[in-house]
Amino acid sequence: MTRALYSLCGADERHFFSPHCWKAVMALAHKGLDFEEVPTTYSRIVDIGGGFSKTVPVLDDNGRLISDSFDIALYLEDTYPDRPSLFGGEGGKALSRLVEGYSQMMIHPAIMRIALLDIHSILDEGDKAYFRASRESRLGKPLEDFAAGREAEREAFAAKLEPMRHMLRFQPFIGGESPLFADYIVFGALQWLRIAAGLAMLAPDDPVMAWFERCLDLHESRGRTVTAA
Amino acid sequence: MTRALYSLCGADERHFFSPHCWKAVMALAHKGLDFEEVPTTYSRIVDIGGGFSKTVPVLDDNGRLISDSFDIALYLEDTYPDRPSLFGGEGGKALSRLVEGYSQMMIHPAIMRIALLDIHSILDEGDKAYFRASRESRLGKPLEDFAAGREAEREAFAAKLEPMRHMLRFQPFIGGESPLFADYIVFGALQWLRIAAGLAMLAPDDPVMAWFERCLDLHESRGRTVTAA
């Protein structure tokens, strides 16, 4: 049995920074499954399974390939039902899609504005060229122009987490008394920001920071294996 | 057995408009429970159970009083476990608190800015005075000054629902193939906006509008019993 997770890395191969890959890492750790995290630059994604996916993470579970962090979590839940649940039932599975929407449509765009140049600076030389060309094509402007509003975005960032603060008045994790995949969805976003640009835009006494620290402590402090900017 | 839900109304007693009361109405209907919806102005909340709660909804379930829409949903789930679930398991219950946070911290403030004067205009004369005094004290300015930014807020409103559009790419309800309490949380917010100010700020072909229409159709079209502004 071999199990590998192909996970995006920077010029430093230990520098795993992708929010989506962190979701998959935490999901595998939550299930208590051994796996090798394979450092993968953008340019090497095409080599996984003969071009199986345009994106990482890709899970290779003893020859079975699965891409997309949410699909990986669904696969793990179906395939390893006797291990700790990632969703806490069908309701939790369905609601996790709205949590994904909140993270990707509200939090990710803000992080992109704040940390785009920092993310670029993490990459190896080949990936830097790819990243700049693909993002500038998508954004319709140079990375530096897009990043010009980063200070305003840093100041506005804490407000994006108000839904989290409301939830944390009632319970320590999105999953309730203990974490579920929904926690890893939002954790992945803040872990991406922490690694690329740090979390100085959040106050030390912010309840979201206390939750994030709890998440960093999970699974033998897996999240602390990559240092912050 | 008598079951009553005290629910906020305007000068017209059939004009139930509160987002929190709509959540409770839909939760009761979801459980298939008969109940009387008791029209309650702000000034009459103090009379419920001898001043039991400062807010509505209040559920009187054969003499047992419960306030707060989320607590009412939890009570119904515990008390009527053999009827259709409002949460779909413990994970769904926990994640519903983040959905509540998204609705109340992201969507409600925008609706307040858009519809504050419309809400005021719905109320009876006594409630109008109370509403103006309490909101102006909280906001630190006249209602009219607070509402000055309403046009910009109307234009920005659709973007607040991007997490919903993401979710709707995968499933017809927040609860998956069928609705759960999490749907009623966001439904309550948009129902409040629809009744007070209409939904013209959302495009007719917006997937959120299709979801909202599906919610209006639920439980013998209960949501359509109050007409829109």
Side-chain angles (χ1 to χ4, degrees):
Chain A
M1 167 67 82
T2 58
R3 194 178 292 114
L5 185 77
Y6 293 88
S7 183
L8 203 60
C9 69
D12 178 344
E13 291 210 333
R14 295 161 303 183
H15 218 150
F16 297 109
F17 67 93
S18 153
H20 306 293
C21 295
W22 272 106
K23 285 185 253 178
V25 164
M26 296 296 271
L28 284 158
H30 184 97
K31 285 284 185 190
L33 297 167
D34 289 329
F35 64 102
E36 179 195 4
E37 190 170 3
V38 182
T40 310
T41 57
Y42 281 113
S43 67
R44 283 181 289 184
I45 293 174
V46 71
D47 299 328
I48 306 167
F52 170 74
S53 173
K54 289 191 162 78
T55 59
V56 282
V58 172
L59 175 66
D60 179 344
D61 195 17
N62 205 28
R64 182 157 178 190
L65 297 180
I66 306 101
S67 66
D68 182 87
S69 60
F70 205 104
D71 286 343
I72 289 170
L74 293 172
Y75 165 82
L76 294 175
E77 191 78 347
D78 284 348
T79 309
Y80 304 99
D82 297 337
R83 290 169 177 261
S85 174
L86 285 162
F87 295 106
E90 289 304 309
K93 193 179 287 182
L95 269 62
S96 292
R97 279 296 185 191
L98 185 58
V99 177
E100 184 181 66
Y102 164 58
S103 184
Q104 292 183 200
M105 308 310 280
M106 293 285 198
I107 303 177
H108 281 217
I111 293 176
M112 280 297 285
R113 268 180 205 278
I114 291 169
L116 190 69
L117 291 178
D118 302 296
I119 296 163
H120 178 262
S121 74
I122 289 171
L123 305 176
D124 78 7
E125 291 309 312
D127 272 13
K128 274 183 180 160
Y130 157 77
F131 187 85
R132 177 176 289 276
S134 62
R135 268 52 177 181
E136 292 189 346
S137 167
R138 194 187 301 170
L139 299 168
K141 59 179 77 167
L143 298 188
E144 287 74 9
D145 289 5
F146 181 74
R150 66 193 296 183
E151 277 312 312
E153 199 71 55
R154 286 176 71 94
E155 285 172 28
F157 187 71
K160 304 274 197 301
L161 300 171
E162 278 295 305
M164 289 290 290
R165 288 182 202 102
H166 174 90
M167 176 275 297
L168 290 166
R169 290 168 47 207
F170 299 95
Q171 56 203 40
F173 290 101
I174 304 174
E177 291 303 311
S178 57
L180 290 174
F181 187 63
D183 286 275
Y184 306 144
I185 291 172
V186 182
F187 169 78
L190 292 193
Q191 175 79 327
W192 179 36
L193 178 58
R194 181 184 77 94
I195 291 167
L199 291 178
M201 64 291 287
L202 298 179
D205 64 350
D206 187 335
V208 173
M209 282 302 293
W211 163 83
F212 185 68
E213 293 288 333
R214 286 195 290 279
C215 289
L216 286 173
D217 287 339
L218 293 169
H219 314 313
E220 300 175 324
S221 300
R222 180 85 189 206
R224 298 191 194 278
T225 54
V226 177
T227 52
Chain B
M1 167 66 81
T2 59
R3 194 179 291 114
L5 184 77
Y6 293 89
S7 184
L8 203 58
C9 70
D12 179 343
E13 292 209 332
R14 296 161 302 183
H15 218 150
F16 296 109
F17 68 93
S18 152
H20 305 293
C21 296
W22 272 106
K23 286 184 251 179
V25 164
M26 297 296 271
L28 283 157
H30 184 98
K31 285 285 185 188
L33 298 167
D34 289 329
F35 65 101
E36 179 195 2
E37 190 170 5
V38 182
T40 310
T41 56
Y42 281 111
S43 67
R44 284 182 286 183
I45 294 174
V46 71
D47 300 328
I48 305 167
F52 170 75
S53 173
K54 289 192 162 77
T55 59
V56 284
V58 172
L59 175 65
D60 180 343
D61 195 17
N62 205 28
R64 182 158 179 189
L65 298 180
I66 305 102
S67 66
D68 181 89
S69 61
F70 204 104
D71 286 343
I72 288 170
L74 293 173
Y75 165 82
L76 294 174
E77 190 78 346
D78 284 347
T79 309
Y80 304 99
D82 296 338
R83 288 168 178 263
S85 174
L86 285 163
F87 296 106
E90 289 303 310
K93 194 179 289 182
L95 268 62
S96 292
R97 280 294 187 190
L98 185 59
V99 177
E100 185 181 65
Y102 164 58
S103 184
Q104 292 184 201
M105 308 310 281
M106 293 285 199
I107 302 177
H108 281 217
I111 293 175
M112 279 297 285
R113 268 181 205 279
I114 292 170
L116 190 69
L117 291 177
D118 303 297
I119 296 163
H120 178 261
S121 73
I122 290 172
L123 305 176
D124 77 8
E125 291 309 312
D127 273 13
K128 274 183 179 159
Y130 157 78
F131 187 85
R132 177 177 288 279
S134 63
R135 269 51 180 183
E136 292 189 346
S137 167
R138 193 187 300 169
L139 299 168
K141 58 180 77 168
L143 298 187
E144 287 74 9
D145 289 4
F146 181 75
R150 65 194 296 181
E151 276 312 312
E153 199 71 56
R154 286 174 72 94
E155 285 173 26
F157 187 72
K160 303 275 197 300
L161 300 171
E162 279 295 306
M164 289 289 291
R165 289 181 200 103
H166 174 90
M167 175 276 297
L168 290 166
R169 289 168 47 207
F170 299 95
Q171 56 203 39
F173 290 100
I174 304 174
E177 290 304 312
S178 56
L180 290 174
F181 187 63
D183 286 275
Y184 306 144
I185 291 172
V186 182
F187 170 78
L190 292 193
Q191 175 79 327
W192 179 37
L193 178 58
R194 181 184 77 95
I195 291 167
L199 291 178
M201 64 291 287
L202 298 179
D205 63 351
D206 187 334
V208 174
M209 283 302 294
W211 162 83
F212 185 69
E213 293 288 334
R214 285 194 291 278
C215 289
L216 286 172
D217 286 340
L218 293 170
H219 314 312
E220 300 176 325
S221 301
R222 180 85 190 205
R224 297 190 194 277
T225 54
V226 177
T227 52

